């Protein structure tokens, strides 16, 4: 919150100074002949190129991908660390094998882990589309490739959406904004659970609805349904609100023009078929995973594991039975702490609104955000404000702690409203003196500087990610054992008070064929059944709470080793979410 206040004050000081100097010089500050000629030539070239929509669309997609690839020597291919990422990767690996789900593994209690179902089938709890994106990457050689391609598609989809609402040069600027903030270092392109997938769906829905409001066409109808299908399989609740508001505004516009009847034409057959196919696919996927076509995997997981209600300000549900202490600590303790803290008004403001401002606006785009408020009376972009409002409501009424990718469906609306803020900033006058253009140029220069600062911080970001990876040495252990012959079983011994956010017991879709299997330590007697089942593997014991650093023992060494029994749990129980 303080960063936003400071950045607002800073920009008011900078732009106020520019406005004062511009007024004092009768609008000539930063409007010298050289600057004017350079700006006019650049703006003209930018406008000419922006009218080549196909080339612009391709350029934005390629630019986003290439920009991130060029940063690889500094910011390496990300490795998964969080529960959500491992869950999505399980889905991706499952789809890449040609499966919709996996049978429950034998002795599944040893492998039961966060954000995954073990029964009735073994699968991620999340909607399938993010997993499909990861599966594309796996089939192309690396799971991160799918994330990278989708980030580029998001920039292209935002440009296509904006072309339906504003002139092409402004649409091109909207497509470039994700590269400015949050940029190529954000977790949307450097993890496996970002919001780019839902952002593509939201942009398609908003772009199609704006076109439908002016002219009924088959392509607009189709893209609306495709976008809605994408959101339904990535962020269903927030996506449903976005699609409803976008469709309602389009219907209202057609009704005012007395053209609503034109929507019901022979073309409606194609989008209807697309919608029915999507619905049938979703029902079939639910059936394969949960055994019930109308029970989503997330709902089944909620029933089995979570005491947190679906909606904010509801009573906590009774805690279910857990088969291991880590699940109990994560769901019944940590999630409960998050829920109670996030239900306050202060948390709603700081967690939701401020969180969105930090991620999508930051310091760099703050002038655009301020002046975007002047676009409220504009009927052309009013649907974007309604969509943004619906998105804020959606992420407020749900009980889970807020993360930025929950706003994926309204991402396109946010960036286009920022562009509208830039347009209004350019038109500012004081006593008939045009002071807006110099202020807009300074604000645009701030974007360039902000983008450069983002590149400059890449080494620090990579060092931070590497430090986090060193503290969570799962990848290093996997690489070590992968180089050894044969198959391996790692039994993980957690001390009492272990941070449940650091989970090591994560496996692929097919445990029997996996070179390395991770399992929980249930004590000498219960472990015998596990060891008998995996009798053909080399067995290791991993103590993640060993001091000064986690230690991997051979099974024989573990018999005489002094294992960790209890650790300080105040770091995660008292964490300020």
């Amino acid at each position: 919150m303080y960063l936003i206040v400071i950045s607002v004050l800073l920009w008011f000081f900078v732009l106020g100074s520019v406005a004062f100097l511009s007024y004092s010089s009768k609008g000539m500050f930063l409007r010298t002949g050289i600057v004017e000629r350079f700006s006019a030539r650049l703006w003209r070239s930018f406008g000419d190129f922006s009218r080549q929509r196909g080339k612009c669309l391709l350029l934005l997609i390629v630019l986003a991908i290439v920009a991130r690839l060029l940063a690889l020597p500094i910011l390496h291919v990300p490795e998964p660390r969080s529960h959500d990422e491992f869950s999505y990767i399980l889905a991706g690996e499952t789809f890449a094998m040609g499966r919709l789900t996996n049978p429950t593994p034998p002795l599944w209690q040893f492998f039961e882990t966060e954000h995954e179902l073990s029964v009735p089938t073994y699968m991620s709890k999340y909607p399938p589309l993010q997993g499909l994106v990861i599966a594309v990457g796996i089939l192309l050689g690396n799971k991160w490739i799918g994330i990278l391609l989708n980030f580029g598609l998001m920039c292209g989809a935002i440009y296509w959406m904006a072309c339906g609402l504003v002139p092409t040069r402004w649409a091109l600027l909207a497509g470039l904004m994700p590269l400015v903030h949050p940029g190529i270092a954000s977790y949307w392109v450097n993890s496996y659970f970002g919001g780019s997938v839902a952002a593509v769906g939201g942009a398609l829905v908003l772009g199609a609805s704006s076109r439908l409001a002016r002219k009924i066409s088959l392509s607009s109808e189709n893209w609306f349904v495709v976008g809605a299908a994408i959101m339904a399989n990535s962020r269903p609740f927030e996506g449903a609100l976005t699609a409803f508001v976008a469709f309602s505004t389009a219907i209202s516009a057609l009704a005012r023009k007395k053209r609503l009847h034109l929507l019901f034409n022979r073309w409606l057959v194609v989008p209807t078929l697309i919608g029915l196919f999507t619905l049938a696919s979703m029902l079939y996927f639910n059936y394969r995973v949960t055994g019930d076509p109308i029970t989503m995997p997330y709902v089944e997981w909620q029933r089995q594991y979570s005491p947190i209600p679906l909606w904010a300000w509801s009573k906590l549900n009774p805690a279910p039975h857990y088969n291991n202490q880590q699940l109990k600590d994560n769901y019944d303790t940590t999630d409960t702490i998050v829920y109670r803290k996030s239900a306050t008004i202060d948390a709603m403001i700081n967690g939701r609104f401020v969180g969105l401002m930090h991620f999508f606006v930051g310091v760099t785009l703050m002038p655009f955000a301020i002046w975007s408020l002047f676009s409220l009376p504009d009927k052309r972009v009013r649907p974007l404000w309604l969509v943004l409002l619906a998105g804020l409501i959606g992420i407020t009424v749900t009980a889970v702690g807020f993360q930025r990718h929950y706003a994926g469906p309204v991402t396109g609306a946010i960036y286009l409203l920022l562009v509208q803020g830039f347009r209004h900033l350019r038109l500012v006058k004081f006593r008939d003196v045009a002071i807006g253009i110099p202020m807009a140029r300074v604000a645009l220069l701030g974007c360039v500087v902000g983008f450069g600062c983002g590149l400059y911080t890449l080494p620090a970001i990579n060092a931070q990610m590497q430090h986090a990876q060193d503290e969570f040495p799962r990848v290093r252990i996997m690489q070590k054992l992968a180089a050894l012959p044969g198959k391996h079983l790692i039994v993980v011994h957690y001390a009492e008070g272990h941070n449940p956010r650091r989970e090591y017991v994560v496996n692929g879709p097919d445990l029997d064929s996996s070179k390395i299997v991770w399992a929980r330590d249930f004590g000498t007697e219960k472990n015998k059944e596990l060891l008998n089942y995996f009798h053909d593997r080399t067995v290791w014991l991993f103590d993640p709470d060993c001091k000064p650093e986690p230690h991997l023992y051979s099974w024989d060494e573990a018999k005489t080793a002094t294992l960790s029994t209890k650790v300080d749990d105040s770091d995660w129980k008292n964490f300020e979410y």
Side-chain angles (χ1 to χ4, degrees):
M1 186 67 177
Y2 295 114
L3 180 61
I4 290 180
V5 173
I6 292 172
S7 62
V8 169
L9 294 176
L10 176 64
W11 274 111
F12 266 117
F13 173 76
V14 172
L15 295 182
S17 300
V18 173
F20 174 77
L21 292 172
S22 297
Y23 179 73
S24 301
S25 60
K26 304 300 181 183
M28 297 310 297
F29 181 68
L30 291 182
R31 300 191 68 177
T32 62
I34 296 175
V35 173
E36 285 297 312
R37 287 194 297 271
F38 175 76
S39 299
R41 187 178 299 112
L42 181 63
W43 194 239
R44 186 167 52 251
S45 300
F46 191 78
D48 292 342
F49 179 73
S50 69
R51 284 190 285 272
Q52 305 177 60
R53 297 191 178 189
K55 290 183 179 180
C56 285
L57 183 65
L58 182 61
L59 172 69
L60 284 168
I61 295 172
V62 172
L63 181 62
I65 295 171
V66 171
R68 180 59 185 90
L69 290 176
L70 290 175
L72 278 178
I74 304 173
L75 192 62
H76 308 310
V77 174
E79 293 290 347
R81 293 190 302 273
S82 71
H83 305 156
D84 305 74
E85 291 180 283
F86 287 120
S87 180
Y88 281 121
I89 290 171
L90 171 64
E93 292 176 343
T94 300
F95 296 144
M97 294 174 64
R99 300 176 177 176
L100 290 179
T101 188
N102 307 284
T104 299
L107 309 176
W108 59 270
Q109 290 89 347
F110 283 93
F111 317 112
E112 189 179 17
T113 194
E114 286 85 351
H115 298 341
E116 296 175 5
L117 289 169
S118 293
V119 290
T121 62
Y122 172 44
M123 187 51 173
S124 168
K125 73 173 187 179
Y126 290 113
L129 203 52
Q130 182 80 7
L132 285 172
V133 168
I134 294 173
V136 170
I138 293 172
L139 295 175
L140 292 176
N142 188 291
K143 55 183 176 291
W144 180 66
I145 293 176
I147 303 297
L148 179 63
L149 294 177
N150 196 75
F151 183 72
L153 288 174
M154 180 188 71
C155 294
I158 291 173
Y159 165 74
W160 179 85
M161 174 208 75
C163 284
L165 287 161
V166 296
T168 53
R169 69 177 64 191
W170 301 108
L172 183 56
L173 185 61
L176 289 169
M177 277 196 172
L179 300 180
V180 176
H181 211 285
I184 58 175
S186 81
Y187 82 97
W188 277 27
V189 72
N190 293 293
S191 73
Y192 298 89
F193 67 117
S196 299
V197 175
V200 170
L204 293 178
V205 163
L206 291 172
S209 62
S210 65
R211 289 166 170 82
L212 284 172
R214 295 193 308 271
K215 181 182 178 181
I216 306 296
S217 69
L218 175 62
S219 62
S220 296
E221 293 175 352
N222 288 342
W223 284 121
F224 184 93
V225 176
V226 169
I230 291 173
M231 291 191 294
N233 287 280
S234 53
R235 298 296 314 170
F237 178 65
E238 297 88 348
L241 290 177
T242 300
F244 174 77
V245 173
F247 186 70
S248 299
T249 55
I251 290 295
S252 299
L254 290 172
R256 287 194 301 269
K257 298 175 183 177
K258 298 182 180 181
R259 300 176 61 189
L260 185 58
H261 64 282
L262 298 177
L263 186 64
F264 303 95
N265 53 55
R266 68 181 189 280
W267 293 338
L268 200 61
V269 174
V270 178
T272 300
L273 291 175
I274 296 174
L276 290 175
F277 175 77
T278 301
L279 178 61
S281 300
M282 293 171 65
L283 294 174
Y284 183 65
F285 176 74
N286 293 342
Y287 171 73
R288 290 295 305 275
V289 176
T290 68
D292 184 353
I294 62 173
T295 301
M296 298 173 63
Y298 189 94
V299 175
E300 176 61 23
W301 170 87
Q302 182 86 9
R303 184 189 66 80
Q304 291 189 32
Y305 292 103
S306 181
I308 308 301
L310 287 173
W311 310 111
W313 306 295
S314 301
K315 291 183 179 179
L316 288 168
N317 298 320
H321 168 74
Y322 297 104
N323 294 314
N324 62 72
Q325 187 63 38
Q326 287 69 50
L327 290 181
K328 179 176 176 58
D329 287 343
N330 190 41
Y331 297 137
D332 192 31
T333 302
T334 308
D335 281 1
T336 301
I337 293 172
V338 174
Y339 172 70
R340 285 173 175 158
K341 289 184 177 182
S342 65
T344 63
I345 299 299
D346 178 67
M348 290 290 177
I349 296 173
N350 285 303
R352 269 71 167 175
F353 175 72
V354 176
L356 287 177
M357 291 289 285
H358 274 308
F359 189 76
F360 292 105
V361 179
V363 176
T364 307
L365 302 177
M366 189 58 69
F368 303 161
I370 295 170
W371 263 270
S372 68
L373 297 174
F374 290 98
S375 68
L376 279 168
D378 190 343
K379 293 182 180 180
R380 292 173 300 173
V381 296
R382 194 173 297 166
L384 300 179
W385 285 106
L386 293 175
V387 164
L388 180 57
L389 177 62
L392 287 172
I393 293 173
I395 61 179
T396 299
V397 300
T398 52
V400 292
F402 172 71
Q403 297 187 62
R404 275 71 167 177
H405 58 275
Y406 297 173
V410 300
T411 298
I414 292 173
Y415 285 123
L416 189 49
L417 287 173
L418 291 174
V419 167
Q420 288 297 100
F422 182 48
R423 297 181 73 187
H424 282 274
L425 178 60
R426 291 176 73 250
L427 301 176
V428 173
K429 289 185 178 182
F430 183 72
R431 294 183 179 177
D432 295 327
V433 177
I435 62 175
I437 291 180
M439 289 197 296
R441 286 173 179 169
V442 171
L444 197 58
L445 180 62
C447 290
V448 176
V449 173
F451 179 73
C453 290
L455 297 180
Y456 181 76
T457 59
L458 288 182
I461 293 172
N462 186 63
Q464 185 181 18
M465 293 175 64
Q466 187 60 50
H467 177 70
Q469 197 63 56
D470 291 340
E471 290 187 336
F472 184 72
R474 190 176 185 276
V475 173
R476 192 167 66 246
I477 294 171
M478 295 280 284
Q479 292 171 343
K480 174 185 175 180
L481 298 187
L484 299 178
K487 295 181 177 181
H488 303 269
L489 170 66
I490 305 174
V491 179
V492 182
H493 171 82
Y494 290 116
E496 181 184 348
H498 173 82
N499 187 344
R501 298 298 193 190
R502 295 185 178 181
E503 180 60 80
Y504 289 85
V505 180
V506 181
N507 294 289
D510 191 346
L511 274 67
D512 288 338
S513 64
S514 297
K515 183 177 178 65
I516 302 170
V517 171
W518 297 76
R520 299 185 184 277
D521 180 12
F522 280 150
T524 304
E525 289 301 317
K526 289 186 178 180
N527 287 348
K528 288 180 181 178
E529 191 175 4
L530 177 71
L531 300 180
N532 288 335
Y533 185 83
F534 290 107
H535 60 87
D536 58 340
R537 291 176 179 260
T538 303
V539 184
W540 307 80
L541 188 137
F542 180 57
D543 183 358
D545 302 302
C546 181
K547 301 298 181 183
E549 61 182 15
H551 193 82
L552 182 68
Y553 298 94
S554 70
W555 194 248
D556 290 334
E557 291 174 337
K559 294 177 181 177
T560 57
T562 302
L563 303 179
S564 304
T565 56
K566 188 173 183 179
V567 294
D568 181 18
D569 59 6
S570 61
D571 60 332
W572 56 271
K573 283 188 176 180
N574 298 325
F575 188 81
E576 291 295 329
Y577 291 90

